[in-house]
């Protein structure tokens, strides 16, 4: 015989969870609605709550517009409370990440591995992985970048393989772009990436190639193309950030000059305007008060 849910009077399917109260049984859909369980398990404290309460108590909770999360604290120990809090925080972080990610995608940000480069917001989203958390980096925080290229030569000389290894290449933008297309003295590329250095002393690397690949292969050509487009995006972002900083500096300087103006001289100018009938006496008085800091 099928069990009937004491709360909604509907049949509880044999595949669904149920919880025994003092005077009845409640099925999964009702439990889930009141946050006493999720898809996989009962919420911590749910069993303890059910053992000591009646269906009428549960109905009361339901009609009050609340759910189990509002009273859960009473049925769990401190250890569980801490765990729940952590879970809640993680959930919130995930939710925030989803929203931020959406913003970046809506802007048409360019994605390279787990990084989104947004030239509209002029920001980079490091979307992280399962083990690392996400982070938003403003282009004003980007100090420099360099190509990380490693390759080797497998030319045989008297039967012995000779290895030539390249390291991180530093230098101006031109040198970097040149370096990505150079490296003809290696017949294999082992690693290709762009290291981006931030003003807080940290850096991150966008990797395009992580395993030994023939230098003249399509894979290497594709990786180099991607690297070049990333460099141009990063350079644009840095230029934009630089322009913005300069504009703000100019604005700050202008405000400084304005605030350095002699108030008496300014009042005389406005008095003249009032005398000439260009502004009204009321407007002149208001400006005078403002200039003398009387307002
Ligand atoms: Zn029910």
């Amino acid at each position: 015989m099928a069990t009937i849910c004491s709360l909604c009077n509907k049949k509880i399917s044999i595949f669904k969870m149920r919880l025994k109260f003092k005077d009845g049984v409640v099925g999964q859909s009702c439990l889930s609605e009141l946050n006493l369980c999720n898809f996989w398990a009962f919420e911590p404290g749910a069993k303890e709550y059910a053992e000591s309460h009646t269906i009428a108590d549960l109905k009361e909770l339901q009609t009050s517009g609340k759910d189990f999360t509002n009273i859960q604290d009473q049925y769990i120990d401190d250890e569980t409370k801490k765990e729940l809090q952590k879970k809640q925080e993680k959930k919130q972080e995930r939710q925030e990440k989803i929203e931020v990610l959406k913003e970046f995608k809506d802007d048409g940000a360019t994605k390279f591995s787990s990084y989104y480069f947004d030239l509209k917001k002029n920001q980079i989203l490091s979307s992280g992985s399962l083990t690392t958390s996400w982070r938003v980096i403003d282009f004003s925080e980007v100090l420099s970048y360099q190509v990380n290229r490693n390759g080797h030569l497998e030319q045989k000389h008297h039967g012995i393989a000779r290895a030539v290894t390249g390291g991180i290449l530093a230098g101006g933008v031109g040198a970097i772009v040149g370096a990505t297309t150079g490296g003809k003295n290696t017949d294999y590329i082992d690693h290709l990436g762009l290291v981006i250095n931030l003003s807080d002393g940290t850096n991150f690397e966008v990797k395009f190639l992580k395993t030994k690949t023939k230098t003249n292969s399509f894979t290497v050509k594709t990786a180099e193309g991607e690297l070049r487009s990333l460099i141009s995006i990063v350079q644009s972002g840095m230029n934009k950030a630089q322009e913005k900083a300069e504009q703000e500096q100019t604005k700050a300087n202008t405000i400084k000059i304005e605030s350095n103006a002699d108030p008496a001289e300014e009042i005389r100018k406005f008095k003249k305007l009032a005398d000439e009938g260009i502004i009204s006496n009321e407007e002149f008085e208001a400006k005078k008060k403002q200039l003398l800091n009387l307002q």
Side-chain angles (χ1 to χ4, degrees):
M1 208 187 83
T3 312
I4 302 291
C5 172
S6 307
L7 200 62
C8 67
N9 297 319
K10 282 179 192 152
K11 272 186 202 167
I12 307 169
S13 154
I14 52 163
F15 305 110
K16 299 285 178 181
M17 286 192 278
R18 63 211 59 205
L19 200 51
K20 229 178 173 170
F21 280 69
K22 273 165 105 177
D23 56 351
V25 176
V26 177
Q28 188 165 350
S29 54
C30 283
L31 294 172
S32 165
E33 232 169 77
L34 289 160
N35 272 319
L36 279 148
C37 76
N38 54 46
F39 289 114
W40 315 277
F42 296 115
E43 291 295 340
K47 281 180 185 166
E48 289 78 358
Y49 170 75
E51 275 166 17
S52 55
H53 288 78
T54 60
I55 299 297
D57 293 332
L58 193 59
K59 264 186 190 150
E60 205 180 298
L61 181 71
Q62 192 182 33
T63 47
S64 71
K66 288 180 181 171
D67 62 43
F68 186 59
T69 50
N70 298 104
I71 53 166
Q72 191 173 21
D73 272 7
Q74 303 164 39
Y75 306 97
I76 53 177
D77 55 27
D78 288 347
E79 196 66 30
T80 317
K81 250 180 241 176
K82 268 186 215 153
E83 271 171 37
L84 279 180
Q85 219 167 346
K86 256 191 221 161
K87 249 192 213 165
Q88 192 57 37
E89 279 164 16
K90 271 201 181 146
K91 197 174 152 191
Q92 223 168 329
E93 206 193 287
R94 269 202 305 273
Q95 198 52 48
E96 275 172 40
K97 181 179 163 179
I98 290 167
E99 278 162 29
V100 171
L101 193 60
K102 195 187 170 295
E103 276 180 33
F104 274 74
K105 282 182 177 167
D106 287 350
D107 280 353
T110 315
K111 187 183 186 237
F112 293 97
S113 74
S114 60
Y115 298 93
Y116 292 80
F117 294 80
D118 187 337
L119 288 175
K120 238 184 208 172
K121 266 193 269 296
N122 223 36
Q123 285 177 332
I124 304 162
L125 169 65
S126 162
S127 69
S129 63
L130 284 174
T131 48
T132 59
S133 57
W134 60 280
R135 170 185 180 193
V136 172
I137 302 154
D138 200 89
F139 261 109
S140 60
E141 293 171 56
V142 178
L143 279 187
S144 60
Y145 54 85
Q146 73 247 49
V147 173
N148 183 13
R149 182 195 184 101
N150 260 294
H152 70 276
L153 194 65
E154 280 190 8
Q155 240 174 40
K156 300 234 164 139
H157 280 269
H158 312 290
I160 302 160
R162 199 156 57 97
V164 177
T165 324
I168 286 184
L169 301 160
V173 182
I176 287 164
V177 176
T180 68
T181 51
K184 297 277 190 276
N185 56 340
T186 59
D187 51 13
Y188 284 95
I189 300 293
D190 302 296
H191 184 99
L192 187 65
L194 191 72
V195 180
I196 295 170
N197 304 304
L198 306 177
S199 53
D200 66 358
T202 62
N203 65 48
F204 65 90
E205 185 180 5
V206 180
K207 292 166 188 153
F208 296 101
L209 215 65
K210 288 181 255 186
T211 50
K212 179 182 151 181
T213 316
K214 262 198 176 305
T215 303
N216 58 10
S217 66
F218 178 73
T219 310
V220 168
K221 284 196 175 72
T222 307
E224 282 175 341
E226 282 203 311
L227 173 64
R228 274 194 296 274
S229 67
L230 176 57
I231 287 173
S232 101
I233 287 170
V234 172
Q235 193 56 53
S236 299
M238 286 171 78
N239 292 348
K240 262 176 104 177
Q242 178 72 25
E243 267 168 39
K244 203 179 148 201
E246 277 163 14
Q247 274 169 11
E248 269 162 20
Q249 191 56 48
T250 311
K251 216 163 120 193
N253 289 343
T254 315
I255 290 165
K256 221 174 172 184
I257 290 163
E258 277 172 4
S259 65
N260 282 345
D262 177 16
E265 198 53 49
E266 290 290 295
I267 291 166
R268 265 186 214 107
K269 268 195 242 165
F270 282 102
K271 179 74 174 81
K272 202 163 168 260
L273 289 175
D275 289 345
E276 289 167 3
I278 294 165
I279 59 169
S280 71
N281 273 328
E282 286 78 19
E283 282 165 336
F284 166 68
E285 288 300 329
K287 195 70 198 168
K288 188 170 89 179
K289 270 187 195 166
Q290 189 197 340
L291 286 162
L292 293 172
N293 274 329
L294 294 173
Q295 256 178 352

